[in-house]
Amino acid sequence: MTSPFVRAEVDGALGRIHLGRPEALNSLDLGMIRAIADALDRFERDDSVRAVALTGEGRALCAGGDIKMIWRVGRTQPEEALGFWAEEYRLNARIARSPKPWVAVMDGICMGGGVGLSVHGSHRVVTERTRFAMPETGIGYFPDVGGTFALSRAPHRLGFWLGLTGASVGAADAIVAGLADTMIPSDAILALLADLAAGRPADAALAAHAADPGPSRLADHAGVIEAVFAGADNSAILSALRADGSAFSAETLALLDAKSPTSLVLTLHLLQEALRSPDLETCLDREYAADAAILQGHDFYEGVRAAVVDKDRNPVWRPATLAEVDAPALVASLRPHPSLFPSAGD
């Protein structure tokens, strides 16, 4: 499978995958997902390839998936939307299981689907330009692409804060949250790739170009985040934020207030379940069940309309408040389905 937006080539000992759709911030369509999967197949079979590197053209590694397509077909052709997610999630799991180092260079914007191509890899690289986020609660959706697995495992519940608020963070915060490994300056990317192409082991190549990411704001507030986001439900979280009374808590309350109440309830449930889950595939299967439920609801279509289609930034959520969300019914709507990964444990 080829895509005009994916360039895959062997450069010495390096398999290079470069996303070239800068006008759309390298957002993934189905052809791109298939091209990346095919490139990974090829590189894993090639004994000359010692590592694989993922990079993006322009201002982003990847800003997400093809939500416009899903918005367009979700109501009338849900199988097409679900088919997109199934292939994307299988690719996310493949990256996590790749026998060769996967070096994801999160230079610039890395959100949604771009996070799925990055955080499950063996070597997650950030730069001073990195803007990392899982902003899905702002469009009536939830952190997918294995995001619930990765976010739930962040220390001090930092991933719960990131997943529920949808906030964007930089290199230092991504590293502190365990969602990235190494910071290098953006002007060192080409030198890093050259070292990998020359056969230098990924760990050594990254160490040679590593830089201090600077202070982490999330680290400064980790105590509050850990205490607050251990709450059993969203109401408990909001109450704890109000009781804390700090400027950071007030900022967090404002972020949560703008999000879909349904998405907040669903996201917290998925993160809490992910904490108890043994592996990435289990979480991806649960996210896929949530996808099917989301397609039957209101807020995803309204959120994408407001953010991407009409761009009025004024979504009307339904239900409009957390108190009106029927959490048991929402959880019950996540119906079991055949696993996307029937041979994952083989």
Side-chain angles (χ1 to χ4, degrees):
M1 169 65 66
T2 61
S3 166
F5 305 125
V6 176
R7 186 173 77 244
E9 59 191 12
V10 175
D11 179 10
L14 180 64
R16 289 251 356 233
I17 300 174
H18 187 71
L19 308 183
R21 197 186 180 194
E23 72 284 353
L25 299 176
N26 300 320
S27 293
L28 299 171
D29 63 20
L30 187 56
M32 294 170 72
I33 289 169
R34 290 174 173 171
I36 295 168
D38 285 354
L40 188 53
D41 280 340
R42 193 163 75 250
F43 295 153
E44 288 181 353
R45 290 194 302 264
D46 188 337
D47 292 338
S48 72
V49 172
R50 299 184 187 178
V52 179
L54 176 73
T55 54
E57 189 75 24
R59 298 189 298 117
L61 172 64
C62 173
D66 198 354
I67 58 171
K68 268 193 174 180
M69 179 277 291
I70 294 168
W71 179 85
R72 190 174 61 250
V73 306
R75 286 191 179 98
T76 58
Q77 299 169 273
E79 68 283 352
E80 185 174 342
L82 290 168
F84 173 88
W85 278 315
E87 294 199 41
E88 185 179 25
Y89 295 0
R90 290 187 181 110
L91 175 59
N92 301 144
R94 282 208 53 206
I95 289 168
R97 288 175 169 267
S98 178
K100 297 186 178 182
W102 176 272
V103 183
V105 183
M106 295 181 273
D107 185 42
I109 297 166
C110 184
M111 299 182 180
V115 172
L117 296 179
S118 306
V119 297
H120 308 304
S122 59
H123 297 74
R124 293 90 50 89
V125 181
V126 285
T127 77
E128 78 283 357
R129 302 196 320 151
T130 296
R131 298 311 302 169
F132 180 104
M134 291 297 282
E136 289 81 5
T137 55
I139 58 165
Y141 191 50
F142 61 89
D144 70 331
V145 294
T148 60
F149 177 82
L151 293 172
S152 70
R153 280 152 175 77
H156 308 297
R157 301 266 174 157
L158 301 182
F160 280 66
W161 184 88
L162 286 164
L164 288 163
T165 67
S168 172
V169 299
D173 286 335
I175 291 172
V176 163
L179 301 167
D181 304 303
T182 306
M183 152 85 176
I184 68 168
S186 57
D187 60 10
I189 293 172
L190 292 179
L192 169 67
L193 296 174
D195 281 355
L196 294 170
R200 194 171 192 179
D203 288 340
L206 285 169
H209 299 286
D212 183 352
S216 163
R217 185 166 181 256
L218 287 186
D220 291 342
H221 298 287
V224 170
I225 291 171
E226 185 166 30
V228 165
F229 284 85
D233 55 33
N234 283 277
S235 294
I237 289 170
L238 296 180
S239 294
L241 287 168
R242 294 188 190 103
D244 179 68
S246 67
F248 177 79
S249 289
E251 176 189 330
T252 299
L253 280 167
L255 288 170
L256 294 172
D257 185 59
K259 304 305 186 276
S260 157
T262 299
S263 290
L264 293 177
V265 172
L266 178 59
T267 295
L268 183 59
H269 168 75
L270 293 173
L271 289 170
Q272 289 171 336
E273 289 297 306
L275 270 178
R276 298 186 280 269
S277 297
D279 51 38
L280 170 62
E281 287 85 355
T282 299
C283 294
L284 286 165
D285 272 332
R286 189 180 298 113
E287 291 170 10
Y288 188 72
D291 288 330
I294 281 287
L295 292 178
Q296 301 302 312
H298 166 270
D299 277 10
F300 171 73
Y301 301 102
E302 173 63 6
V304 174
R305 179 207 64 75
V308 180
V309 180
D310 296 337
K311 300 182 180 179
D312 60 25
R313 309 292 176 184
N314 189 31
V316 179
W317 306 124
R318 200 166 66 218
T321 67
L322 281 168
E324 296 174 273
V325 178
D326 186 340
L330 182 60
V331 171
S333 71
L334 309 184
R335 304 194 183 283
H337 60 88
S339 175
L340 297 175
F341 314 99
S343 59
D346 294 351

